[in-house]
Amino acid sequence: SSGINAEYGNIDVGEHANDYKQIQAKEKLSELQLRVRQLLEQVDQITKEQNYQRSREERFRFTSESTNTRVLWWAVAQTSILLLVGAWQMRHLKGFFEAKKLV
C-alpha cells in the first residue's frame, strides 16, 4: 500500500517574521523602544509595498497605453482597407456597367 506523507509549515514574512520578545530580551530594549522599532519596521514594510504597487501601476499603464495604440492603428488600417476596397468596387462596377452600355 502506498502511504502519503504530507508536511505543513508556516512561513512568516515582513514584520511577522520577527520575534519581538526575543529581540527585546537580546538587545535589552524597553517596551517603548521595542514598540518604536516595530513601528519603524512597519513603516519600512509599507514603503516597500507602496514602491511595489507604484512599479506595478507603471507597468500596467505602459501595457494599457501600448494596447490602446495598437487598437487605434488597427482601426485606422481597417478603415483604410474598407475605403480602398469600396473605391475599387465602385470603379470596377462603373467600368462593368459602361462596358454593358447600361449607363
Side-chain angles (χ1 to χ4, degrees):
S1 89
S2 65
I4 298 175
N5 293 332
E7 293 186 29
Y8 298 96
N10 291 329
I11 298 176
D12 293 327
V13 294
E15 66 176 283
H16 303 293
N18 296 329
D19 182 6
Y20 287 106
K21 292 297 178 188
Q22 187 180 24
I23 292 172
Q24 183 180 21
K26 182 179 177 185
E27 297 184 17
K28 298 181 176 81
L29 300 174
S30 69
E31 197 65 38
L32 181 61
Q33 289 172 322
L34 181 66
R35 185 67 183 134
V36 167
R37 185 172 184 157
Q38 287 175 323
L39 290 173
L40 287 173
E41 289 179 6
Q42 286 176 348
V43 167
D44 187 48
Q45 284 298 115
I46 290 169
T47 303
K48 288 177 182 176
E49 180 66 22
Q50 283 178 329
N51 290 335
Y52 171 70
Q53 292 298 336
R54 276 192 196 106
S55 69
R56 282 189 62 195
E57 179 187 0
E58 183 179 342
R59 198 169 51 232
F60 178 73
R61 185 175 52 248
F62 175 77
T63 302
S64 295
E65 289 173 359
S66 172
T67 302
N68 287 340
T69 301
R70 289 182 189 144
V71 167
L72 173 69
W73 284 111
W74 178 249
V76 167
Q78 283 183 320
T79 303
S80 301
I81 290 170
L82 185 65
L83 290 173
L84 288 171
V85 168
W88 177 79
Q89 284 179 341
M90 286 176 51
R91 246 181 96 192
H92 183 70
L93 285 173
K94 183 178 176 190
F96 173 77
F97 287 126
E98 285 175 350
K100 294 287 186 181
K101 301 190 190 247
L102 294 173
V103 178

